[in-house]
Amino acid sequence: MAVTTRRQLSDHVLFEHSDKELHGIVQPDSRIAVEAHVKSMEQYQQMYKRSVEDPEGFWGEIAQQFHWHKLPTTFLSFNFNVENGPIFIKWMEGAQTNICYNVLDRIVKEKNGENTVAFYWEGNYPGDCSEITYGQLLVEVCKFANVLKAKGVKKGDRVAIYLPMIIELVVAMLACARIGAVHSIVFAGFSSQALGERLVDSRCSLLITADGYYRGMKLLELKSIADKALVISEQMGHPVPLSIVVKHLGSSQKNGDKYRDAPERPSNIQINWNDRVDVWWHDEMKTAETTCEPEWMDAEDPLFMLYTSGSTGKPKGVLHTTAGYMLYTATTFKYDFDYHPGEVYWCTADIGWITGHSYITYGPMANGATSVMFEGAPTYPDAGRMWAICEKYKISKFYTAPTAIRSLMRFGKDLVEKHNRDSLKILGTVGEPINPEAWLWYRNVVGNRQCPVVDTYWQTETGGHVITPLPGATPMKPGSATFPFFGVVPAIVDKDGNELEGPCEGVLVLKQPWPGMLRTVYGDHDRFESVYFKKFPGYYYTGDECKRDEDGYYWIVGRVDDCMNVSGHLLSTAEIESALVEHGAVSEAAVVGYQHNIKGVGIFCYTTLMQGFEFTNELVKELKEKVREKIGAIATPDVIQYAPGLPKTRSGKIMRRVLRELAQGNSSFGDQTTLADPSVVDTLLKLRPQNIPGM
């Protein structure tokens, strides 16, 4: 079939936009600016200047809203330069507080939050829903904290949590924080091997899991996976003595569970039970006391560890501490989403990732926010589910991933526009750079052309946003993360560590500490120093390639290791992907390099098409021309392969390692247990072109 033009396509599924809109500046909507916490760039610049030059005054003033058992004696001390000795970062030394107390007790007492809804829970099946107030959540957390104490868990112990997106997950993590235990949440899509390795590395004393859950039509038998992980952990020399199991399948009105009222969840699995290790959550909660005094934690006491991928293949246990993380997540949430009491906020992430830690649990709750917590899939029972939820709960602030946006773009705007979205004020993105085409679709279709798009750049290690627009103040450029958050001082350096001035492209580094940053890698401080501080002494190394334009806007290009040296030219995979997706037929693209006997590295592109389009030779020619127009002839793809789907983890992250192996013609892809749909790999292997240039 002939390739549809942009004008034809906009009549079908996208929208009309001008080149000026795609590449120009979008001003904040006046209805947002008038009530915003930060109303202008002048106000932002004044606050930013103070945050950088007087961090004690800036953060100390913010800290006054929280409860402190003891006040700090030294507000900030640090060393960022390995040449001057060990790296350390300490905020508010001498202070004592408890983050659970601050997100629950303080909200109930000081903000009259007893009857304020903390979470609307939306299950996998429409109609499977509930709500829990701050007052009810405080009782549940205290009860489970007492359960943990009765099982011998104490301050400093590590507790592994392997749960789906259910209220018990929040209860478990806050109960750990209340008694000073360090929670280690493992994403419920990870394999038994991945879970087992994390149990061993963190030396966890207890595991919290569930019988299972559904995501769409797919049943995940968590208890079975957890059982195998416990065996692996024991074989690796670290037996875990106790597993607390949530009964989630079957009737939701279960065993005295009073805060959920929902239809039956199908249950057709046989639970293997080990009386030596396993206990039911509901049995333990029946007799637990409803009050529990918090453990007062030093400011730099560990709060949680969260494993993230490492270049060596061994995951890193990123360790965050108490007081600074609390300040930073609360502040970034308030300003970046411009949150006001009474609004309903929804972050679609999973709490198994840092986004869920910072912007489902700790950041929103520190502000007394009402949030939606979603267990299901964005395309179940149809691709309008997310917009139906926005309509149901009258969502004001909506935060999701570019991957999800591009995926839903494929289904057109009709499924969006059938649902009322008048409540939406601010849209956010997280996880990867968003291409301008998706940015505009998100704003213009989902946001009715009036919602600012808060394109947040940050990492597991940073704890919270470090470069981001402020919705009432920042003029936005589609695809740019814009300017640094308060207290964050970015720089761009060349490969030798020389700071670049003005418009430039290089490696993004950060020059001074901010409260929410990681403090170490659990059990391996040498690795912490090596990964983040040795490459460029005196800076925190992000590992990301970045551009700064003539207006001072920051554009995240992608991971340094996602850049390709093609015939001596450093090319960004993300930039090529963005050019491909600007074509009206392409909904998503992934670009990797492969060994080319002339260029050194060839450019291999995987493209997923919008509904109604066919993959033809004519389309391939158009896509190559699009890349040449946007970037230059040097970036012209060598191979463009049709990809009905891309290999992604359950969180939506594309597994580029697999794509690189496919491009190279290999059929051994390593561990695929974290893939949402492993069959995608076989499909891509079958569709791989026979004649690859340069091979």
Side-chain angles (χ1 to χ4, degrees):
M1 61 175 283
V3 176
T4 305
T5 65
R6 167 62 60 194
R7 172 68 63 172
Q8 290 170 324
L9 182 65
S10 66
D11 292 338
H12 289 306
V13 291
L14 281 182
F15 55 92
E16 295 183 15
H17 64 256
S18 65
D19 187 68
K20 180 180 179 181
E21 189 178 28
L22 185 64
H23 302 290
I25 292 177
V26 180
Q27 296 293 335
D29 190 271
S30 59
R31 68 173 184 147
I32 302 299
V34 71
E35 65 175 14
H37 296 301
V38 181
K39 294 177 169 60
S40 67
M41 283 300 289
E42 291 74 21
Q43 183 185 352
Y44 160 73
Q45 289 161 354
Q46 291 170 4
M47 294 176 69
Y48 178 75
K49 185 174 187 291
R50 185 186 181 208
S51 73
V52 171
E53 296 178 355
D54 179 23
E56 180 172 352
F58 181 85
W59 293 107
E61 191 173 295
I62 290 172
Q64 292 176 15
Q65 67 184 285
F66 295 99
H67 176 84
W68 302 93
H69 192 63
K70 288 184 180 179
L71 295 175
T73 54
T74 303
F75 206 84
L76 172 61
S77 59
F78 69 97
N79 174 41
F80 259 28
N81 196 328
V82 290
E83 296 172 355
N84 296 333
I87 299 296
F88 69 90
I89 306 100
K90 297 180 180 180
W91 285 86
M92 293 175 285
E93 283 183 278
Q96 286 188 339
T97 190
N98 183 283
I99 195 169
C100 177
Y101 185 93
N102 275 285
V103 304
L104 282 177
D105 308 62
R106 180 179 66 91
I107 301 301
V108 169
K109 294 176 182 178
E110 298 178 12
K111 296 184 179 293
N112 300 314
E114 173 76 27
N115 297 315
T116 299
V117 173
F119 291 99
Y120 292 110
W121 181 80
E122 183 77 14
N124 182 60
Y125 302 97
D128 190 3
C129 55
S130 66
E131 62 186 60
I132 186 168
T133 67
Y134 276 89
Q136 291 169 321
L137 190 54
L138 175 58
V139 171
E140 295 297 310
V141 168
C142 285
K143 287 170 64 178
F144 194 66
N146 287 324
V147 169
L148 292 176
K149 289 169 68 174
K151 299 301 180 185
V153 178
K154 57 188 183 301
K155 178 181 177 180
D157 287 349
R158 278 77 59 207
V159 173
I161 304 174
Y162 185 62
L163 287 171
M165 286 288 287
I166 55 178
I167 296 295
E168 287 87 348
L169 175 50
V170 174
V171 171
M173 64 194 298
L174 292 181
C176 289
R178 194 168 192 86
I179 66 173
V182 180
H183 61 72
S184 174
I185 300 176
V186 179
F187 173 56
F190 276 164
S191 66
S192 55
Q193 184 68 38
L195 175 58
E197 290 174 353
R198 286 156 173 76
L199 292 173
V200 173
D201 188 77
S202 61
R203 314 304 289 178
C204 279
S205 59
L206 185 148
L207 172 65
I208 303 166
T209 188
D211 48 3
Y213 71 106
Y214 280 85
R215 184 173 173 84
M217 296 296 291
K218 185 177 181 181
L219 171 65
L220 290 99
E221 301 182 29
L222 280 194
K223 177 65 166 60
S224 175
I225 298 169
D227 289 343
K228 294 174 185 175
L230 292 174
V231 172
I232 291 169
S233 181
E234 186 167 9
Q235 290 172 345
M236 295 175 70
H238 179 67
V240 177
L242 185 66
S243 173
I244 300 178
V245 185
V246 175
K247 183 174 176 55
H248 180 55
L249 297 174
S251 174
S252 62
Q253 299 175 10
K254 57 185 185 296
N255 301 294
D257 220 350
K258 291 182 168 52
Y259 59 84
R260 184 171 294 156
D261 182 14
E264 294 270 333
R265 298 181 194 96
S267 178
N268 57 357
I269 63 172
Q270 194 70 34
I271 297 293
N272 292 320
W273 199 258
N274 183 346
D275 287 326
R276 181 177 61 85
V277 174
D278 298 327
V279 297
W280 284 112
W281 171 293
H282 59 265
D283 285 340
E284 299 300 320
M285 292 285 275
K286 282 178 184 177
T287 57
E289 291 291 329
T290 59
T291 59
C292 177
E293 285 299 308
E295 181 79 24
W296 297 111
M297 308 293 289
D298 290 339
E300 286 297 327
D301 277 341
L303 172 63
F304 68 86
M305 66 176 69
L306 185 60
Y307 284 88
T308 187
S309 58
S311 58
T312 64
K314 183 178 185 292
K316 303 185 296 286
V318 169
L319 189 72
H320 284 284
T321 54
T322 301
Y325 176 82
M326 177 177 72
L327 276 188
Y328 200 71
T329 53
T331 308
T332 49
F333 175 80
K334 174 183 175 180
Y335 286 111
D336 296 346
F337 298 110
D338 198 52
Y339 185 79
H340 298 270
E343 295 175 329
V344 182
Y345 159 85
W346 181 21
C347 171
T348 69
D350 192 290
I351 294 178
W353 308 106
I354 188 64
T355 303
H357 282 59
S358 298
Y359 298 114
I360 293 180
T361 304
Y362 290 115
M365 293 188 68
N367 285 273
T370 296
S371 298
V372 169
M373 185 177 182
F374 179 47
E375 180 191 36
T379 55
Y380 181 80
D382 61 45
R385 181 73 187 278
M386 295 174 86
W387 321 125
I389 293 173
C390 285
E391 179 178 20
K392 176 179 179 179
Y393 295 105
K394 294 181 172 56
I395 304 295
S396 295
K397 314 295 167 70
F398 179 71
Y399 194 33
T400 195
T403 297
I405 297 165
R406 288 192 294 265
S407 174
L408 294 170
M409 282 173 64
R410 297 178 64 192
F411 297 93
K413 63 183 182 180
D414 290 347
L415 279 172
V416 182
E417 294 179 344
K418 71 180 287 189
H419 297 286
N420 187 299
R421 303 168 325 286
D422 291 345
S423 60
L424 285 174
K425 295 180 179 179
I426 292 165
L427 305 173
T429 70
V430 58
E432 60 181 313
I434 183 170
N435 55 293
E437 189 77 27
W439 192 100
L440 283 168
W441 186 88
Y442 193 31
R443 176 182 181 270
N444 293 354
V445 176
V446 177
N448 288 319
R449 294 183 180 268
Q450 59 185 2
C451 293
V453 176
V454 180
D455 179 0
T456 62
Y457 167 73
W458 59 301
Q459 304 170 326
T460 301
E461 294 87 344
T462 70
H465 308 149
V466 289
I467 301 179
T468 176
L470 298 181
T474 310
M476 299 160 289
K477 292 187 178 184
S480 170
T482 69
F483 302 110
F485 189 72
F486 304 128
V488 175
V489 184
I492 297 176
V493 300
D494 63 19
K495 60 182 177 59
D496 298 316
N498 301 307
E499 281 195 36
L500 305 175
E501 301 296 331
C504 60
E505 181 169 353
V507 177
L508 178 66
V509 295
L510 304 176
K511 298 175 68 171
Q512 67 185 49
W514 58 99
M517 71 180 299
L518 82 165
R519 301 303 197 258
T520 190
V521 170
Y522 180 75
D524 196 347
H525 197 72
D526 287 343
R527 189 180 185 192
F528 166 71
E529 293 184 342
S530 175
V531 171
Y532 302 107
F533 294 95
K534 282 191 176 176
K535 189 173 182 65
F536 301 114
Y539 302 95
Y540 168 85
Y541 170 61
T542 67
D544 285 312
E545 192 87 5
C546 182
K547 292 192 297 186
R548 185 171 53 229
D549 68 18
E550 63 278 3
D551 298 317
Y553 283 69
Y554 288 86
W555 301 73
I556 306 304
V557 176
R559 298 297 293 172
V560 170
D561 56 10
D562 284 341
C563 292
M564 301 177 294
N565 195 327
V566 179
S567 300
H569 295 77
L570 192 65
L571 298 177
S572 158
T573 57
E575 195 170 13
I576 298 171
E577 289 165 3
S578 182
L580 290 167
V581 173
E582 278 195 23
H583 191 288
V586 178
S587 69
E588 192 164 24
V591 175
V592 297
Y594 69 95
Q595 291 181 4
H596 192 290
N597 57 21
I598 297 175
K599 297 181 179 181
V601 175
I603 302 172
F604 199 112
C605 307
Y606 299 86
T607 55
T608 303
L609 303 185
M610 302 286 290
Q611 285 186 333
F613 289 89
E614 293 179 3
F615 190 78
T616 64
N617 290 333
E618 185 62 29
L619 176 58
V620 169
K621 290 178 184 177
E622 290 187 18
L623 293 176
K624 289 185 177 182
E625 183 59 32
K626 170 66 78 172
V627 175
R628 278 194 290 267
E629 289 176 2
K630 293 291 295 182
I631 305 171
I634 190 64
T636 303
D638 296 282
V639 181
I640 298 180
Q641 176 179 329
Y642 173 55
L646 295 171
K648 298 178 182 179
T649 65
R650 282 277 313 287
S651 68
K653 183 177 181 180
I654 297 170
M655 289 191 70
R656 297 175 189 275
R657 168 179 58 81
V658 172
L659 293 179
R660 282 191 285 268
E661 294 295 330
L662 280 165
Q664 204 60 43
N666 298 330
S667 56
S668 177
F669 310 108
D671 182 20
Q672 299 179 55
T673 56
T674 60
L675 285 176
D677 182 6
S679 68
V680 167
V681 178
D682 292 332
T683 301
L684 292 177
L685 190 58
K686 292 174 184 176
L687 292 172
R688 184 178 183 271
Q690 295 299 310
N691 298 314
I692 306 296
M695 290 189 73

